[in-house]
Every structure is written in structure tokens, then in C-alpha cells.
Amino acid sequence: MQLDLFNDIDQDEQTQTEQTQTDEKAQIEALRAELTEANRLYYVLSAHTLTDQQFDEKMRQLQELEARHPELYSPTSPTQQVGSDLKKQDSFVQIEHRYPMLSLANTYSEQEIRDWYNRILKEIGRDQQPEIVCELKYDGLSISLWYEQGVLVHALTRGDGTRGDDVINNIKTIRSIPLTISRQRFPLLPDRFEIRGEVLMPWESFERLNKERAEQEENLFANPRNAASGTLKLLDPKIVASRGLEAYLYYYLSDNPPAATHSGCLSFARQMGFNISDAIKVCKNINEIMQFINYWDKERKNLPVATDGVVLKVNDLSLQNRLGFTAKTPRWAIAFKFQAEKQLTKLERITYQVGRTGIITPVANLTPVQLSGTTVSRATLHNEDFIRQLGIAEGDMVWVEKGGEIIPKITGKQQPQDAQTQQPYSFRFISHCPECGAALVRDKEQAAWRCPNEQHCPPQQKGKIEHFVERKAMNIDGLGAETIDTFFSAHLLSNIADLYDLKKDDIAKMEGFGEKSAQNIIDGIEASKQVPWSRVLFALGIRYVGETTAMKLARVFHSIDELRNASKEQIMTVEDVGEQVSQSIQLFFADPANLSIIERLRAAGVRMSMSDEELSSLNQAASGTLNGQAIVISGTFARHSRDEYKALIEQHGGKNLSSVSRKTSFILAGENMGPEKRKKAQELNIPLMSEDEFLQLINNQ
Ligand code: IVH
């Protein structure tokens, strides 16, 4: 009796669970449909059917439900636009473009636009006026989106115009790109079509990203185009999603287009939910075209994204076909490029900055002037030669330009109207360092003047410490440029060896620091004593000894003493090391200040030679454990970086390959191995080797 009772309860629970599951499945489907439609309406009508908050809340609900039901995973769910952990990959698959991705003929001249228009008039007979669609030329990266049965299946970069990288997982993070298009709503949707456009990083996202990078002391992106391009190449869509990319679409391609005109195709695409700009005009004559160009040349400053011109396209698709293509560009389209915005202003003073390697950079201090919405008061003058080529001096009126770059540049000077006011050109570069007073020396290779006072010139001293603690060097956390500057001013640090004398209490006493942050710095410094010799060599900051050169040198010279005692010729036997590098190494060791720093580092426990483990793995290289083997690396690893594995493979006589083929001997497979590579490996029966197995193989021979 009791048993039955329990059974009943169990069954009840089971039915309830099933019920919840069906409910949740329905909820998932409803949320997916609602969010997809809200996106579409937003891009078709600019209509917010949901507030941002509602949208985010529904997205969060959907994410939660999907996390509970991995069996209901769908690559076209709107949650995929937030970036998914599942999608980390290790490289992009290349795919051939169905239609080659060509560029556009472009011009800065109004006359050439008129000539182009007249050529088209001639082609169709002068009594007809062809419609020309004017659009903005977006300054980003072109992308080609492939849809099959209404589903986004590939997103290809231009590549070499014939083949592009499939960056679909990154593209999916762009909210304005529909992942699916309802075939019920669009019965005329062809089985397969392509739509092309531009991926951009809006100014706002760009400025935010660069601000974050400045805080992290990472290199800044010069302009939104570079930032968008760097972002699209990232392998982790989660990071891509956080960068806020945008896409504008401008070219619909299909074997059976939905309209007879380009503008008709774009309207159809807008109906489907694609982000098609409103800044489009079907022009009936050349005057309307010129009006469009002149209007947007001024108005583009107020757009959220970078544009660099106007694209003109023949509207009628059959006329487009008649005009056809040259080898590189369509005859039915042309781009008019805007002149970079420039202003005339006074060069008040030239000041000089000293970089971390002692290079002196002249800086123009200008009477503040408005340019592309920002006030410009400084611009780089690069070096003495640059100033002389422009023939400029303090007091001159100069042209300042700001193209797609964030850093303004000086492009020339205004010639005085009156020839009599012209004086012979005289300009003198400074002869002494503005920071430490040392006499400057001319660096021939870099066409620059340099302060030779490496040990006692403050920006150089701080620069050396900054370089030493960098991630790729000693990787000491908690010591950014600002902290180094503070410690330097407080006389806690004046060179890299001082780091190892820092006391926790001294740091904790400084303003803005506490017990915890002080301990973190001390821990970071302690951990740096485990950094291998090759990276220590790089961290020392010897001129011309970059990361790779340091690695190559360390493989030959197993300790600092061996390197120090080597002759110039011996050093030059190392692969890719020429006279300049060799000489710079010798100069470094000839300076007693450097020798004393090295001794202090050695005494503190910093590695100045190869560890036994490194040595034995090097010695095995000669045994050629991997001789004749072709190896593909895929995934992420716990014990060494990919670059380190690549170097290990080479050291042991193996060859690195980037893609899996019949020739592949085995795959060194880490976490999250790329799905394409895994599939290919299975098809070709190529064995996979784990990180540990691989290390065992090379260490136990
Ligand atoms: S149409 C066959 N329209 O400019 C021509 N291109 O310099 C198809 N671009 O490769 C391109 N805005 O990356 C077209 N409204 C626009 C554009 C545009 C920017 C880019 C595109 C193209 C490049 C040519």
C-alpha cells in the first residue's frame, strides 16, 4: 500500500517535471521569436517594441533557460549574439567567395565623378537619365554574410578577394545582424542569398576600448577601422561581444534578386531586419549627386561611425550587368573620397619628449583648433627630418589634419602671401636632453636624436623598469607606469635591481596602497624569480634584443656569463643576429652600471642561466625526437603557451603545420580544440596527443 503511494508520488513528480520541461521549451521558443522580431523591427522601423531594460531582462531569462536545457541549443538563438563560451575556436576556416569580393574605383575629384556619370550616359544613350544611388562609404572592414534557408551560415572577410576567413561566431555577436529570417514572413526569400556590408566599431565603443587599453597599459588602436579589424580576428567571441561592433549592409547578391533595382533590393533587406543606413538617396541627375556629397561631407561628423566618402551605384540591375566589371572593380560604381578634415593654425612652440629608449620626439604645440569635433592643441613632428621636409618653424601657420586616425598630423605650412616676408629657413633641433641635460647623439638607423644617458635620464630609467615588469618579460603584476612613476619619485626605485629590495612596509606606507596591494606586488616580484633565462634576457632591455632574439640567444648562450664572454663574431653565429644586435649586446656588458645591476639581480635569485629542465629538453633537440614529423597544434594549453609549443616542436626536429591534412603526423590537442580540425582529424584518422603525452614524449627520449 505504502509502496503504491510512493509510486504515485513519483509519477506525479515525473509528470510535473515533464510538464515544466515542455513549458520551458515553449518559453525558450517564444523568447527567441520575440527577441528576433524586436531586433528586426528596430532595424526596419527604428521602433523599440521593447525598452532596453525589457530586452536585456528577456535575454537574461532566455540565457538562463538555455543553460538549463543544453539539448535545446540553437546556433541561431539571439543569445548567441552575446557571445558564447562554447564557441572558442583556434583558427578560422577559409571559404571561397561565391562572387569575388572586389573593391571600388575611387577618386577625390568632382570632375572624375562627372566623367564617370557621362560615360554611363553614353552607354545608355544621352536622352535617358540613369538613376544613381548615393550611399555613404563606411570606413571599416567588408564582410559577406551567407544565408541558406533563412539561416546565417557563413560570414566571410574579404581575405584576398577570392577566399575569406569565416568569422561567423564573431559576427553573430553583432546584434543588428539577423541570425534567422522567417521564411513564413518572407515567402519570396530565395533558398540562398548573400548580403555584403561593412563591420565597424562605432566611435563610442572605440573610445571606451582605447580607454580600457590605456588603463591596462596595452597598445592603443590608431583608428576604429584597426580596432574593428583586430576585434574580428579574435578567437573568443565573448571578448568580441564586449567590444560593441556594428554592421551596415549595402549590397544584396542573389541569382534571383527580389527587385529590379539596387535600392529595391536594399528595401527588401531592410524589411528582413538588416541594418541598412537611412543616408541613401536615389539621385536623378549629377546635381543631386553633388548635393548629396556636399551635404554628407559636413554632416558625417555627427554620425556614430567613421565614413570616408560617398559610393555611387547605378540603380538598375540590368544596366549594372550591361556595364559589368573591370578586372578589379565594377564599372557601375565609383567612390568619391572625402578630403581629410584640415585646419590652419599657429605652431606656437616645438617641445621635445624623451621616450623610454632615449629617442627624442619633437612635439608641435599649436593654438587650439577644432577638428572633427575635438580640440587639437598638440601633434607629433616625428623627428628632425620630418620638420625639415615640411620646412616649418615656430611661429608658422601650419595645416593640421585628422583623417581616420585619432592622432592629428601636420601636413604642411601656409606660404606667406607676400614674398618679402619670406625669410631663409632656419630651424635648429635641440642639442641637449630636456630631461637630464646630456648631449644628444644622432641615431642613424632611426633618423632620430637620442639621449645616451641610459642610466640616469629619468624617462629612460622608468622606461626600463616598465619594460622589465611587462607581461612578456618578468610578468610582475600590480606595477603599472603610474605606480613606477610614484615609486621613482619617492626614491624607492631607480633601476630594475631595486625592485628586489622593495619592502612590503615601504609600499604599504605610500598613499593609495594598503597591506593587500603591497603584498601583491611583493608576491609578483617573488614569483618573477622563476621566470626562465630567455625571458630574463629579454627583460634586461638590451637595445635590439626583442623577445624572439632573446629566445634564440638563450638557446646558444645558456647563461649570462656565457653571453657576456662571447665575442662579437660568436654572438653573430646565432640565427638572425647581425652586427647591430651583437654590437649592442657588447656595449651593454661594457657598461659597469649594467654589470652591477646584473650582480644584484643574480644575488636576489633572478635566473641568469638555464634551469636543468630547460637544458635537458634542449639537449634532446639534438636527438631529433620529432624528426620528420608534421604536427598541428589546436586548442588552448595549461602548461605552455602555443608559441612555446611551436618552439618545442622545432627544437625537437618537428615541423609545425597550420591545417590538418594527410601529411599530419599527429595533432597536439589542447582544451576546446577547433571543431573543424577535430572533424578533419577523424576523417583522416590522424591521432590526437594530449599536452602531457607530448611533454612525456619529448622529455623521455
Ligand atoms: S559597394 C562591388 N558600398 O569600400 C562593390 N562598398 O573601396 C561592392 N564600402 O570593398 C562594394 N561603404 O568594403 C560599397 N556603401 C558602400 C560601401 C562600400 C564602404 C567599402 C567596401 C568596399 C570598399 C571599396
Side-chain angles (χ1 to χ4, degrees):
M1 182 68 191
Q2 253 192 342
L3 248 168
D4 276 344
L5 194 70
F6 274 115
N7 255 342
D8 276 356
I9 293 170
D10 268 346
Q11 260 173 13
D12 261 9
E13 275 182 356
Q14 199 175 342
T15 353
Q16 251 176 21
T17 327
E18 273 169 16
Q19 185 59 46
T20 333
Q21 293 218 330
T22 353
D23 283 355
E24 294 196 333
K25 183 169 183 237
Q27 270 180 45
I28 289 180
E29 279 165 9
L31 282 167
R32 284 178 182 169
E34 189 180 4
L35 292 170
T36 305
E37 186 58 3
N39 258 339
R40 188 181 78 86
L41 290 175
Y42 178 71
Y43 290 102
V44 180
L45 305 171
S46 299
H48 285 275
T49 48
L50 296 173
T51 64
D52 282 355
Q53 207 180 347
Q54 285 168 333
F55 188 95
D56 292 344
E57 174 56 24
K58 283 179 194 277
M59 185 69 90
R60 201 189 50 74
Q61 277 172 15
L62 180 56
Q63 272 173 324
E64 264 176 35
L65 285 165
E66 287 182 349
R68 279 213 291 280
H69 294 281
E71 77 284 2
L72 298 179
Y73 164 79
S74 158
T76 61
S77 167
T79 52
Q80 295 306 301
Q81 296 186 314
V82 192
S84 151
D85 282 335
L86 290 172
K87 301 250 138 332
K88 251 189 208 166
Q89 50 202 346
D90 68 340
S91 62
F92 300 112
V93 176
Q94 285 205 340
I95 294 182
E96 193 158 326
H97 289 296
R98 212 172 273 145
Y99 313 88
M101 256 177 122
L102 302 173
S103 61
L104 290 170
N106 61 50
T107 175
Y108 287 92
S109 127
E110 190 179 319
Q111 187 52 48
E112 282 186 23
I113 293 292
R114 289 176 190 275
D115 294 346
W116 173 81
Y117 184 75
N118 287 335
R119 275 203 301 278
I120 289 162
L121 280 186
K122 207 163 138 200
E123 174 70 30
I124 61 168
R126 286 194 173 270
D127 42 336
Q128 291 180 55
Q129 295 249 303
E131 283 183 347
I132 303 292
V133 181
C134 288
E135 299 167 8
L136 287 173
K137 185 168 177 343
Y138 293 98
D139 193 10
L141 283 106
S142 35
I143 194 81
S144 179
L145 309 176
W146 292 22
Y147 286 82
E148 282 173 15
Q149 322 293 340
V151 174
L152 174 65
V153 289
H154 297 296
L156 305 188
T157 60
R158 178 205 293 278
D160 61 3
T162 316
R163 294 168 74 81
D165 282 333
D166 191 356
V167 290
I168 182 161
N169 292 327
N170 289 344
I171 284 297
K172 277 183 176 176
T173 68
I174 302 177
R175 246 184 74 183
S176 65
I177 293 182
L179 304 183
T180 50
I181 289 151
S182 156
R183 304 195 89 202
Q184 271 165 335
R185 199 181 290 274
F186 297 96
L188 289 180
L189 195 72
D191 282 350
R192 157 203 261 218
F193 72 91
E194 212 175 308
I195 187 159
R196 293 183 179 173
E198 208 81 354
V199 174
L200 301 139
M201 184 172 288
W203 289 110
E204 203 184 308
S205 313
F206 170 68
E207 272 145 28
R208 190 188 58 216
L209 174 63
N210 261 354
K211 194 165 157 249
E212 280 166 17
R213 290 176 76 88
E215 279 159 14
Q216 308 282 329
E217 291 175 34
E218 287 175 301
N219 288 340
L220 302 190
F221 286 112
N223 54 46
R225 188 185 349 97
N226 291 2
S229 150
T231 303
L232 261 199
K233 287 189 192 128
L234 293 172
L235 297 173
D236 185 352
K238 266 227 166 317
I239 308 179
V240 178
S242 73
R243 297 254 179 110
L245 292 177
E246 184 49 281
Y248 284 69
L249 286 309
Y250 47 63
Y251 188 22
Y252 179 97
L253 286 122
S254 147
D255 292 337
N256 41 350
T261 57
H262 170 65
S263 57
C265 290
L266 289 188
S267 302
F268 181 68
R270 184 182 284 121
Q271 284 304 315
M272 289 193 283
F274 288 100
N275 187 24
I276 311 285
S277 164
D278 288 328
I280 292 184
K281 186 168 185 223
V282 181
C283 294
K284 301 262 188 309
N285 55 50
I286 189 79
N287 289 343
E288 286 184 11
I289 296 175
M290 287 337 278
Q291 264 169 17
F292 185 93
I293 290 178
N294 293 331
Y295 175 80
W296 283 108
D297 194 359
K298 296 191 185 70
E299 206 45 41
R300 69 193 181 109
K301 277 179 238 153
N302 303 321
L303 292 171
V305 292
T307 54
D308 60 346
V310 166
V311 180
L312 279 57
K313 298 175 187 171
V314 167
N315 198 15
D316 185 302
L317 298 185
S318 59
L319 180 51
Q320 280 192 6
N321 279 335
R322 224 164 92 193
L323 291 161
F325 295 82
T326 68
K328 276 200 273 170
T329 59
R331 288 199 188 84
W332 46 264
I334 190 166
F336 176 85
K337 300 263 287 219
F338 295 131
Q339 292 286 350
E341 205 193 338
K342 58 180 188 178
Q343 288 287 349
L344 207 53
T345 190
K346 186 169 171 190
L347 170 57
E348 291 182 352
R349 234 163 74 78
I350 298 178
T351 51
Y352 297 84
Q353 266 175 3
V354 187
R356 83 167 174 86
T357 54
I359 299 284
I360 312 287
T361 308
V363 178
N365 293 263
L366 308 160
T367 307
V369 63
Q370 282 292 114
L371 207 56
S372 307
T374 50
T375 308
V376 176
S377 52
R378 279 157 70 85
T380 175
L381 290 170
H382 305 286
N383 53 43
E384 183 180 9
D385 296 352
F386 181 83
I387 299 175
R388 291 195 180 280
Q389 271 156 23
L390 292 180
I392 53 176
E394 287 178 350
D396 280 346
M397 292 301 286
V398 292
W399 287 107
V400 199
E401 255 186 33
K402 209 167 152 195
E405 315 294 308
I406 37 169
I407 301 165
K409 48 181 185 227
I410 300 209
T411 54
K413 76 168 186 178
Q414 187 192 38
Q415 300 299 338
Q417 304 282 323
D418 177 0
Q420 289 196 337
T421 60
Q422 264 197 12
Q423 285 162 11
Y425 180 55
S426 83
F427 162 73
R428 291 194 68 183
F429 204 84
I430 48 167
S431 55
H432 288 78
C433 176
E435 296 277 348
C436 71
L440 301 182
V441 292
R442 175 89 185 186
D443 188 318
K444 285 200 194 67
E445 277 83 27
Q446 309 205 13
W449 287 95
R450 209 165 54 76
C451 166
N453 185 14
E454 277 183 50
Q455 305 295 348
H456 300 107
C457 179
Q460 296 192 64
Q461 287 175 287
K462 286 185 267 187
K464 276 186 192 301
I465 305 174
E466 282 168 29
H467 169 77
F468 187 79
V469 304
E470 244 179 46
R471 201 177 321 137
K472 285 180 182 172
M474 304 302 275
N475 192 18
I476 303 179
D477 269 351
L479 279 174
E482 240 174 85
T483 311
I484 291 173
D485 192 44
T486 316
F487 289 5
F488 187 86
S489 308
H491 304 289
L492 284 179
L493 282 183
S494 65
N495 61 44
I496 53 178
D498 294 344
L499 284 166
Y500 295 87
D501 292 339
L502 278 177
K503 301 278 173 302
K504 183 180 154 195
D505 288 349
D506 293 337
I507 303 175
K509 268 191 248 147
M510 305 280 295
E511 206 186 311
F513 289 86
E515 287 285 313
K516 201 159 167 252
S517 49
Q519 190 59 49
N520 276 347
I521 293 177
I522 296 292
D523 290 348
I525 293 172
E526 194 52 36
S528 75
K529 295 178 186 169
Q530 299 310 318
V531 166
W533 151 235
S534 59
R535 266 168 54 197
V536 174
L537 177 56
F538 166 62
L540 289 176
I542 305 173
R543 280 187 94 204
Y544 309 121
V545 178
E547 212 187 342
T548 322
T549 308
M551 210 140 83
K552 288 179 179 165
L553 283 163
R555 258 186 240 154
V556 177
F557 302 104
H558 299 168
S559 70
I560 196 143
D561 299 319
E562 282 181 40
L563 183 60
R564 187 187 155 194
N565 294 326
S567 68
K568 193 168 143 198
E569 289 67 31
Q570 280 170 330
I571 300 176
M572 278 166 70
T573 59
V574 175
E575 187 193 350
D576 294 336
V577 172
E579 192 165 354
Q580 187 186 47
V581 181
S582 179
Q583 197 166 349
S584 159
I585 294 172
Q586 297 223 306
L587 275 173
F588 177 83
F589 287 117
D591 186 339
N594 286 333
L595 296 182
S596 120
I597 287 174
I598 289 169
E599 285 324 311
R600 286 177 60 202
L601 291 175
R602 196 200 304 262
V606 173
R607 289 204 171 155
M608 289 294 170
S609 59
M610 271 201 182
S611 64
D612 292 345
E613 196 186 275
E614 279 174 285
L615 261 178
S616 74
S617 102
L618 240 192
N619 290 337
Q620 278 139 28
S623 74
T625 311
L626 300 175
N627 267 354
Q629 308 240 39
I631 300 153
V632 173
I633 303 183
S634 180
T636 50
F637 300 92
R639 303 195 37 193
H640 290 278
S641 71
R642 283 173 74 97
D643 282 347
E644 282 166 351
Y645 276 119
K646 279 190 181 160
L648 279 172
I649 289 175
E650 278 174 20
Q651 272 173 36
H652 291 268
K655 222 170 117 184
N656 284 291
L657 291 187
S658 55
S659 56
V660 181
S661 71
R662 281 182 205 289
K663 290 192 200 122
T664 311
S665 316
F666 66 86
I667 297 177
L668 170 54
E671 289 273 304
N672 298 320
M673 178 177 166
E676 289 292 325
K677 283 201 173 130
R678 187 178 288 279
K679 208 170 114 205
K680 198 84 191 272
Q682 265 164 7
E683 276 169 22
L684 300 175
N685 241 336
I686 312 270
L688 304 188
M689 193 179 287
S690 75
E691 182 170 21
D692 289 338
E693 286 167 338
F694 176 79
L695 289 173
Q696 236 173 30
L697 172 74
I698 57 171
N699 285 324
N700 291 344
Q701 288 292 313

